[in-house]
Amino acid sequence: MTPYAVTYALHLLAALVWVGGMFFAWMILRPAAVSALEAPARLKLWLEVFQRFFYWVWAAVIVLPITGVGMLNLRFSGFETAPRYVHIMIGLYIAMLALFLRVQALQLPELRRAVAAADWPNGGAVLGRIRRLVGINLILGLLLISIAAARPSL
Ligand code: HEM
């Protein structure tokens, strides 16, 4: 395996874990939790889910730029000569990172406090805000992957 192939594989795996994890959370776990659990159990479940999933998201947000910049240098010899879709990828990455950091730094602690205080109405409101941001990030991630897949025409 060449260094480029290893870097490329790590990049794709990181994208898969982050975007695939959000897809599963939004499209499968969210409706299943709504239909199977009452609010207190559902909020506790989401807190556990986010705490575990976010370790992997942290790994992805670190691996993606390192491997991305590695490929930029190995394949395109720098940012200026890289194709337009790579510039778009970096822009969307920054937007996704900002949304993730907002959830991690502001909303997750709020959810943790609401669950600890058994304040279910407030916990439900925080969960709604997290859901919206994760939904936006999922759309950005799917868009980004579609743009990467369409790269020959960009
Ligand atoms: C700073 C952030 C990033 C940089 C510098 C970057 C850079 C790159 C580069 C240079 C390539 C290889 C291009 C080629 O060989 O033609 C690539 C491919 C790819 N990237 Fe990124 N990337 C970044 C973030 C992301 C993110 C956040 C995702 C998805 C969540 C992503 C998904 C992909 C995919 C799916 C490919 C494969 C495209 C293909 O060959 O079909 N990247 N990226």
Side-chain angles (χ1 to χ4, degrees):
M1 255 189 151
T2 61
Y4 188 85
V6 173
T7 314
Y8 187 80
L10 285 173
H11 195 77
L12 288 192
L13 287 171
L16 185 93
V17 165
W18 190 4
V19 180
M22 290 193 295
F23 185 89
F24 175 77
W26 229 92
M27 304 301 289
I28 316 289
L29 190 56
R30 186 183 57 87
V34 168
S35 84
L37 299 172
E38 299 299 324
R42 197 163 67 232
L43 289 166
K44 285 181 196 163
L45 171 76
W46 278 114
L47 184 59
E48 294 291 328
V49 167
F50 289 136
Q51 287 174 163
R52 284 172 173 77
F53 178 49
F54 284 6
Y55 282 119
W56 291 96
V57 179
W58 272 111
V61 300
I62 291 167
V63 167
L64 280 165
I66 293 174
T67 51
V69 170
M71 287 191 291
L72 270 181
N73 291 311
L74 287 167
R75 173 139 190 229
F76 305 112
S77 51
F79 180 80
E80 290 80 19
T81 47
R84 194 154 44 123
Y85 83 88
V86 173
H87 298 159
I88 298 172
M89 191 178 278
I90 294 170
L92 287 177
Y93 168 80
I94 292 168
M96 289 175 70
L97 178 65
L99 293 180
F100 166 65
L101 290 178
R102 189 179 165 83
V103 175
Q104 166 77 75
L106 300 178
Q107 294 172 342
L108 192 60
E110 260 188 79
L111 182 62
R112 200 176 291 125
R113 280 194 296 274
V115 168
D119 181 356
W120 310 122
N122 189 31
V126 179
L127 187 61
R129 289 200 290 278
I130 295 178
R131 185 173 61 226
R132 201 173 58 240
L133 290 189
V134 173
I136 296 170
N137 243 3
L138 173 60
I139 291 168
L140 292 180
L142 293 173
L143 180 71
L144 200 166
I145 290 172
S146 309
I147 290 170
R151 73 192 193 283
S153 54
L154 289 171

